[in-house]
Structures are given as C-alpha cells and as structure tokens.
Amino acid sequence: MKKAIYPGSFDPLTLGHLDIIKRAADIFDELTVGVLDNHAKTPLFSVEERVNILKEATKDISNVRVESFSGLLVDYAKQNGYHVSVRGLRAITDFEYELQIAQTNKMLSAGALDTMFLTSDVEYSYLSSSGVKEIASFGGDISHCVPAFEIDMIYAKYNNK
Ligand code: ADP
C-alpha cells in the first residue's frame, strides 16, 4: 500500500491546501494530513481545532486521515512508516524554502523520507494562510479562500463580522 504524509500548519486551512489534499489522495492509497503542533508559534486555531477543521473538510475523502504531531517530521515519519512527504509549491518563492526542507529531511532520515511536490492550481497560487489571516483581521471577504464552513470560525477569532 502506498501511503504518504502531507505535513503543515494549516492555520487556517485554505482551498489551496484542500486542492493539494484531494490530488495527493488520488495518487496514494492512503494520505495522512499531519497537523504540526508547533509550540514556537502562537496559532490562530489550536492544534485540536485545526485537526477538527481538517476532518470536517475531508470527511468525504475515504482514504484521508488527519493526525497531529509535534517534533521533527522525520521522527514522526519513521515511527509511522511514511516514506513520502507531500508539499505544495505555489511560486518560485516557495521553491528555495521547500527545497531546503526537503533536502534537510532527506539528510536527517538517512534517505528514508522523500518529498513529492505538487504544484498549486493557478486558481489558488496567490493563497496563503497568512494572507487569509490578514484579510480576516480587517473583516475582508475570505469566501474565495477557505471552505464555507470555516469562514465564521475564522471571523470569530477576530471578533468581527
Ligand atoms: P507551513 O507548513 O510552512 O506552515 P502551510 O501549513 O501554510 O505551511 O502549508 C503546508 C504546505 O501547503 C506547504 O507545502 C505549502 O507550500 C503548501 N501550500 C500552502 N498554500 C498553498 C496553496 N495555496 N496552494 C498549494 N499549496 C499550498
């Protein structure tokens, strides 16, 4: 069985993330979305909230699982038998950062963890979690950026709309 992990912060989940999830789930037999519990960052949504949002957004995709993890991706991947990490590439600006992470993970895992890149759909290539947060903080329209059920959850964090 071919399985992969799609790790990220997903704070908040965007339609760009969801597009990558759907496409990766078509390629692999099983895809785990790994929600990073990063104590160094103060997230908009807690890790539990992000896991629940991802579960709701992927409930109709039968081969997608959602889990949280902390620490190094290579350790989590080794413990759970993942050999492929999926990442999304939006633009050339993502490339340098993503290449560095991919090569670091390859080195740290002694070659056991490879990274597979899916290029963003042009429709979502402008979308980022930080952009969504910026727009929402000013009460702007995020309906083209995130799944419908998530909109009010995001506004509620900023106490507007
Ligand atoms: P990070 O893990 O760096 O905190 P995110 O959680 O925002 O980043 O994103 C996880 C992965 O999804 C990264 O590989 C990122 O490049 C990718 N990604 C983010 N936004 C989009 C988008 N709009 N389209 C495609 N891929 C995206």
Side-chain angles (χ1 to χ4, degrees):
M1 188 180 72
K2 287 249 175 289
K3 60 179 194 170
I5 181 161
Y6 177 33
S9 306
F10 309 104
D11 186 44
L13 171 72
T14 70
L15 293 176
H17 294 134
L18 208 47
D19 178 57
I20 298 287
I21 292 170
K22 286 178 185 157
R23 287 159 56 202
D26 274 347
I27 296 169
F28 293 95
D29 298 315
E30 187 183 289
L31 180 75
T32 297
V33 182
V35 182
L36 181 63
D37 189 3
N38 184 350
H39 296 289
K41 287 187 189 171
T42 309
L44 183 66
F45 288 111
S46 70
V47 72
E48 293 79 16
E49 288 173 317
R50 281 177 277 148
V51 165
N52 287 335
I53 287 167
L54 272 150
K55 282 187 175 166
E56 174 65 24
T58 59
K59 66 179 184 212
D60 295 329
I61 317 173
S62 62
N63 61 335
V64 171
R65 291 150 30 99
V66 184
E67 311 239 305
S68 65
F69 75 99
S70 54
L72 290 176
L73 174 66
V74 287
D75 293 336
Y76 183 75
K78 187 175 180 184
Q79 281 153 17
N80 295 279
Y82 297 109
H83 298 290
V84 180
S85 163
V86 172
R87 296 284 287 178
L89 281 181
R90 280 162 294 192
I92 194 78
T93 41
D94 276 345
F95 181 75
E96 202 159 325
Y97 171 70
E98 292 290 343
L99 181 69
Q100 210 172 50
I101 297 178
Q103 291 176 335
T104 303
N105 285 336
K106 188 95 177 158
M107 182 271 292
L108 285 176
S109 67
L113 185 65
D114 249 313
T115 302
M116 193 184 88
F117 294 109
L118 289 181
T119 52
S120 173
D121 189 299
V122 281
E123 199 184 340
Y124 305 125
S125 60
Y126 68 95
L127 255 185
S128 69
S129 293
S130 54
V132 169
K133 284 186 270 202
E134 176 94 16
I135 298 167
S137 72
F138 293 109
D141 182 6
I142 54 170
S143 61
H144 298 291
C145 305
V146 301
F149 76 90
E150 199 188 14
I151 296 172
D152 286 340
M153 299 170 82
I154 296 172
Y155 285 139
K157 293 284 179 186
Y158 293 103
N159 254 340
N160 54 33
K161 288 240 163 164

